[in-house]
Amino acid sequence: MRSLMSLTCVLGVIAGGAAGAAPVEVGVRPQFLIRQIRNPDLKAKLEACLDRPLERKLFSIAHRGAPLQFAEHTAESYVAAHRMGAGIQECDVAFTKDKKLVCRHAQNDLHTTTNILGTPLAAKCTKPFTPAEGDKPASAECRTSDITLAEFKTLTGKMDAADTKATNVADYMNGTARWRTDLYAAAGGTLMTHAEYIAMGRKMGVKFTPELKTPSVAMPYEGWTQEQYAQAMIDEYKAAGVPAADVFAQSFRLADVLYWIKAEPEFGKQAVYLDDRDETDKAFDPMNAATFKPSMKELKAQGVNYIAPSMPLLVTVENGKIVPSTYAKEAKAAGLNIITWSLERSGPLQKGGGYYYKSINSVVNNDGVIYEVVDVLAREVGVVGIFSDWPATVTFYANCMGLK
């Protein structure tokens, strides 16, 4: 009941004005990043925009809301992202035991993104909490498919984290990274169904990018096939009267994208193939087009119009400068629209940026690199949107550079 009341209040606040009419605020972070930029021309260009009025931008895509500081996939996180000017909001779509669609990054992440381990529902988890012992880390696995929708709605969201050195549940749940914060999540975030996310987005006046998550359970699930799951997600937009042009359905499974292209051609036009072949194919090399199987031209021939790789697949370093990769050039040459993920998910960049900067780590040594990367992605790679854990950063850049 607490979650339902919270969501009602949040929707009421949004509905208080015209759709999308809330003023855009980006706070002090863009200025903080700009001060550290090494490229003097880029720095001067962005500094000149600091006092300009801002508007919402489709180029700015909220990655699970604003999870740099808010509990991901919660109403509070989505509202924060909306205020930061995100023109597109993401809901990662998983399903519950009774086959209802909800917003969670993975079907099996409730133990790190909600308070489930501190509730009686912990008894229903696929794998109960096991404390750390010696060299063995603490662990648990709680799936959305372990509980019903009604049970899911009794939970609250928290920052996605776990302390694997913990010997008790309370410490395990209290693992937020030092560079994030519990300041806006301590009271618990309001969990969302996919339908509630759609209703909220319509009131906000934003577009949608739902991601069909790869199930943790074997499919078919109690007779429910992968295709039925993919269709169920699209059906909730149709039921809500959302135009296909406002929806960018995503999946890491190319088969899901091809299903939408065939079964729901209007939605399929904007279906997004999330490309993680650098993680799943040992032969894949973003600097060698011969390793792209299928190739960019083959993807386009199958009807794929949007491709979304992680940032490091799109950039490399040549003569000390950040430049487009072979992957980026091939995708652009094939006529694919490129979206990328995820900005501001790496923490401070004083000593490199880990996974999201792995292809350019040699030139990453301060947070100003964030805008240097965004600039290359926008101007040289030609991406049409960037996912960020703090949408204000991308919103500011898009406004300054006159992007949509």
Side-chain angles (χ1 to χ4, degrees), residues 119-155:
T119 76
L121 291 174
K124 297 190 175 186
C125 290
T126 295
K127 296 179 181 178
F129 171 73
T130 301
E133 183 177 1
D135 294 332
K136 185 178 180 181
S139 64
E141 183 182 359
C142 303
R143 301 174 177 176
T144 56
S145 55
D146 290 334
I147 58 177
T148 66
L149 176 60
E151 291 169 330
F152 175 85
K153 292 294 288 181
T154 67
L155 302 175

Side-chain angles (χ1 to χ4, degrees), residues 321-336:
K321 294 182 61 177
I322 303 170
V323 297
S325 66
T326 300
Y327 180 106
K329 295 173 183 177
E330 288 288 313
K332 190 172 183 178
L336 293 170

